[in-house]
């Protein structure tokens, strides 16, 4: 399988791949948060593009509903983490299973009933829109407001911080100081 | 079919379609708010209606419009109004699977 993938790849391309791998491994050790965020976005876009490329580039099937699989995977991993406390590293595999299962069902329906060409594109739009409106009304997963993850407050300019301030004031007024002064000094 | 200027006919067809939708917009503006980003939602809706009724069929477009319109109205009445389009897309999926040429459309020669 791996040999098949590397068939016809020139020597220079292999060197570049190894160089890329080494860069990816070393960058998190030296780069700052912002740079890592940008690199993650770049890899994410490349990954999403590659997923679509497999459908249109290799199989020639125009799919306009690929956002469905991205969203299903994201929701699956996030729901496992928020509702069941499963680590996203395990949720990653669950997300792949969920998205692949959804893709298999839609693909089976489309090709079993001979939906091809532009009709296949419309079918993928229909499934994507159907799921989008469904998730908009699924309050267990946040509904139309979106599904928020409790992320760690690592960066200096975190958007979570201003939202938390009134919280503290409220608690302090009620007589419960939520934080010892020392930890407040390190946070503020 | 000799001597027809295909490009001219394409342009004429496009113009006719635009004129129809212009008249439709003139009547619609009395009922709904019109804003610049209005386009994609109605484009997709028109697309769904024509695919459901049958591509290239005039009665099909009318039937599709009535079917989708009544479905959305009933869906909004019986369930949540914001979820009404779900029923539209469910109908679209069923039509595509069981009658890809649309309800009144003719199966194109493969």
């Amino acid at each position: 399988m791996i040999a098949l993938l590397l068939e016809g790849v020139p020597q220079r391309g292999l060197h570049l791949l190894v160089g890329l791998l080494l860069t990816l491994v070393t960058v998190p050790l030296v780069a700052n948060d912002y740079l890592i965020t940008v690199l993650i976005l770049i890899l994410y876009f490349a990954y999403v593009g590659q997923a679509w490329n497999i459908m249109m580039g290799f199989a020639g099937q125009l799919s306009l509903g690929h956002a469905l699989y991205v969203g299903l995977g994201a929701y699956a991993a996030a729901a496992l983490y928020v509702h069941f406390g499963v680590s996203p590293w395990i949720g990653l595999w669950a997300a792949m299973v969920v998205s692949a299962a959804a893709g298999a069902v839609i693909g089976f329906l489309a090709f079993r009933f001979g939906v091809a060409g532009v009709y296949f594109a419309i079918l993928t739009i229909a499934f994507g829109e159907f799921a989008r409106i469904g998730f908009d009304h699924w309050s267990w997963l946040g509904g139309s407001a979106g599904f928020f993850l409790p992320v760690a407050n690592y960066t200096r300019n975190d958007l979570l911080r201003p939202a938390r301030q009134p919280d503290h004031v409220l608690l302090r007024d009620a007589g419960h100081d939520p934080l010892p002064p020392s930890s407040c000094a390190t946070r503020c | 079919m000799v001597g027809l200027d295909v490009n001219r006919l394409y342009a004429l067809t496009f113009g006719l379609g635009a004129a129809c939708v212009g008249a439709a917009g003139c009547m619609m503006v009395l009922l709904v708010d019109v804003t610049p980003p209005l386009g994609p939602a109605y484009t997709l809706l028109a697309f769904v209606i024509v695919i459901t009724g049958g591509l290239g069929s005039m009665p099909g477009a009318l039937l599709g419009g009535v079917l989708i319109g009544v479905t959305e109205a009933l869906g909004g009445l019986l369930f949540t109004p914001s979820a009404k389009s779900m029923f539209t897309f469910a109908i679209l999926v069923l039509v595509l699977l069981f009658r890809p040429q649309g309800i009144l459309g003719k199966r194109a020669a493969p």
Side-chain angles (χ1 to χ4, degrees):
Chain A
M1 184 81 187
I2 305 250
L4 193 72
L5 277 177
L6 294 179
E7 202 179 44
V9 176
Q11 198 71 23
R12 194 159 154 269
L14 283 180
H15 290 156
L16 282 174
L17 268 180
V18 172
L20 179 70
L21 191 67
L22 287 177
T23 316
L24 289 182
V25 170
T26 49
V27 150
L29 305 174
V30 291
N32 59 11
D33 282 348
Y34 171 70
L35 203 59
I36 291 176
T37 308
V38 173
L39 285 172
I40 289 173
L41 265 185
I42 290 173
L43 281 178
Y44 169 72
F45 288 150
Y47 206 46
V48 171
Q50 199 60 264
W52 200 75
N53 187 24
I54 290 174
M55 280 297 284
M56 188 63 197
F58 289 93
Q61 297 292 336
L62 177 60
S63 165
L64 298 179
H66 254 54
L68 170 61
Y69 313 118
V70 178
L72 270 182
Y75 268 114
L80 279 177
Y81 177 54
V82 171
H83 290 301
F84 302 107
V86 179
S87 157
W89 292 110
I90 302 168
L92 184 78
W93 298 94
M96 283 165 68
V97 170
V98 168
S99 291
V105 168
I106 294 171
F108 171 78
L109 281 175
F111 300 124
R112 169 69 184 76
F113 288 90
V115 181
V118 68
Y119 290 102
F120 179 75
I122 302 162
L123 189 75
T124 55
I125 295 179
F127 273 112
E129 285 291 295
F130 184 85
R132 181 181 68 76
I133 300 163
F135 275 91
D136 250 1
H137 293 83
W138 197 354
S139 53
W140 190 65
L141 292 177
S144 56
F147 197 34
F148 288 95
L149 292 176
V151 289
N153 215 347
Y154 281 146
T155 46
R156 300 287 300 167
N157 51 354
D158 203 310
L159 282 175
L160 283 171
R161 200 189 291 268
R164 291 168 78 100
Q165 296 293 0
D167 229 323
H168 289 208
V169 172
L170 209 70
L171 284 168
R172 205 168 285 146
D173 286 349
H176 308 284
D177 198 345
L179 294 167
S182 60
S183 83
C184 188
T186 52
R187 281 187 137 221
C188 303
Chain B
M1 288 295 213
V2 179
L4 292 175
D5 187 345
V6 176
N7 284 336
R8 197 183 131 81
L9 279 178
Y10 277 156
L12 203 64
T13 315
F14 186 78
L16 272 174
C20 283
V21 91
C26 178
M27 290 185 271
M28 195 183 77
V29 76
L30 301 171
L31 298 173
V32 299
D33 294 335
V34 174
T35 51
L38 184 77
Y42 283 96
T43 308
L44 192 59
L45 192 63
F47 202 57
V48 171
I49 287 169
V50 172
I51 297 288
T52 309
L55 274 173
S57 159
M58 285 282 179
L62 184 63
L63 179 71
V66 170
L67 184 67
I68 297 296
V70 171
T71 307
E72 291 221 339
L74 280 181
L77 182 70
L78 301 176
F79 297 92
T80 326
S82 50
K84 60 183 182 181
S85 303
M86 259 181 105
F87 301 96
T88 307
F89 289 110
I91 285 183
L92 178 62
V93 167
L94 291 178
V95 165
L96 279 173
L97 291 184
F98 295 107
R99 205 174 156 81
Q101 71 270 36
I103 296 172
L104 293 182
K106 293 179 197 66
R107 172 76 80 165

